[in-house]
Amino acid sequence: DGGITQSPKYLFRKEGQNVTLSCEQNLNHDAMYWYRQDPGQGLRLIYYSQIVNDFQKGDIAEGYSVSREKKESFPLTVTSAQKNPTAFYLCASSTRRRDDGYTFGSGTRLTVV
Amino acid sequence: QKEVEQNSGPLSVPEGAIASLNCTYSDRVSQSFFWYRQYSGKSPELIMSIYSNGDKEDGRFTAQLNKASQYVSLLIRDSQPSDSATYLCAVFSGGYNKLIFGAGTRLAVHP
């Protein structure tokens, strides 16, 4: 079955450490997205990519970086510059059809220790 | 950035009742609208999409769209405790070429 795989499910980061969250899709979707969700709050867009080798900042890109070297993969790096990284991170993908909506992965819960 | 607004709730309904969830949006040129369900600790799941004025029914779910009033709603008939979740409204912004999400409404269905 096609879908989006995020790994790991849980991740612990030490102060000053960079960590990378993986997102892989086999839906043949062109666009991919990274969202952050804090407890009791909505989704905030970090970065998105409409095509390979191209990506745009979302609303809260500071302290994060991404790459899109392959259509299937869109990893997110949480750098030490992100001062409050503890959150639930969601990766999503979509076709170019506007009425298809987004398909989400199962998420990665990042905690600073 | 255009906004999508939802009442945060919680909306509490008895089992078997109709739950009515509402959403307003500010971008007049929006053409596509979506409802997602998110259980606690899980990722959002697409349950309905609508892009024409009127009603769209799928099982116990009915989405309603009124573009003139910039209003979209989700009705859940015969509500079950398993429907207890947060419901996210999302609107496709042509200008930004991406979905804009509301903060979600928490629904609690009690036996």
Side-chain angles (χ1 to χ4, degrees):
Chain A
D1 286 338
I4 301 179
T5 301
Q6 288 188 244
S7 62
K9 189 172 182 178
Y10 299 96
L11 185 59
F12 298 90
R13 193 194 92 165
K14 295 180 180 179
E15 294 285 349
Q17 188 178 46
N18 292 354
V19 292
T20 297
L21 283 59
S22 171
C23 178
E24 303 276 337
Q25 56 100 357
N26 60 3
L27 299 166
N28 198 32
H29 283 174
D30 292 300
M32 297 186 74
Y33 312 83
W34 274 106
Y35 287 90
R36 167 179 174 146
Q37 189 174 39
D38 293 281
Q41 298 189 28
L43 303 176
R44 292 189 290 169
L45 183 64
I46 304 172
Y47 269 98
Y48 64 105
S49 169
Q50 306 279 5
I51 196 170
V52 174
N53 292 323
D54 187 47
F55 48 83
Q56 288 79 41
K57 293 181 179 180
D59 302 316
I60 56 166
E62 185 174 351
Y64 300 96
S65 66
V66 294
S67 63
R68 187 86 187 276
E69 297 177 0
K70 298 186 301 181
K71 186 176 183 178
E72 301 79 16
S73 179
F74 192 41
L76 174 74
T77 296
V78 184
T79 74
S80 57
Q82 173 49 243
K83 298 307 179 188
N84 185 23
T86 296
F88 188 43
Y89 289 86
L90 289 159
C91 180
S93 69
S94 72
T95 66
R96 294 187 182 189
R97 284 173 52 107
R98 62 184 185 182
D99 55 355
D100 275 357
Y102 292 0
T103 301
F104 283 88
S106 57
T108 293
R109 194 164 300 278
L110 174 63
T111 304
V112 174
V113 297
Chain B
Q1 185 83 349
K2 304 300 182 181
E3 291 188 359
V4 176
E5 297 188 14
Q6 299 181 253
N7 188 319
S8 63
L11 173 66
S12 183
V13 300
E15 184 174 357
I18 296 175
S20 178
L21 304 162
N22 305 312
C23 172
T24 59
Y25 61 95
S26 57
D27 185 354
R28 290 188 172 273
V29 298
S30 296
Q31 296 294 320
S32 304
F33 307 86
F34 305 87
W35 283 100
Y36 286 82
R37 177 176 62 199
Q38 186 176 23
Y39 292 113
S40 181
K42 303 296 184 182
S43 62
E45 171 193 12
L46 180 64
I47 55 173
M48 290 287 288
S49 61
I50 186 168
Y51 51 92
S52 299
N53 276 331
D55 295 359
K56 178 180 178 181
E57 186 174 317
D58 184 1
R60 296 186 296 113
F61 298 99
T62 298
Q64 299 176 318
L65 175 61
N66 184 326
K67 290 184 180 179
S69 299
Q70 295 175 245
Y71 177 93
V72 58
S73 65
L74 179 70
L75 301 179
I76 305 175
R77 291 181 299 280
D78 188 24
S79 295
Q80 301 297 310
S82 59
D83 295 324
S84 298
T86 296
Y87 289 81
L88 304 173
C89 173
V91 176
F92 186 83
S93 167
Y96 292 97
N97 199 31
K98 60 182 186 287
L99 284 184
I100 308 298
F101 286 87
T105 298
R106 189 159 62 91
L107 173 66
V109 181
H110 53 87

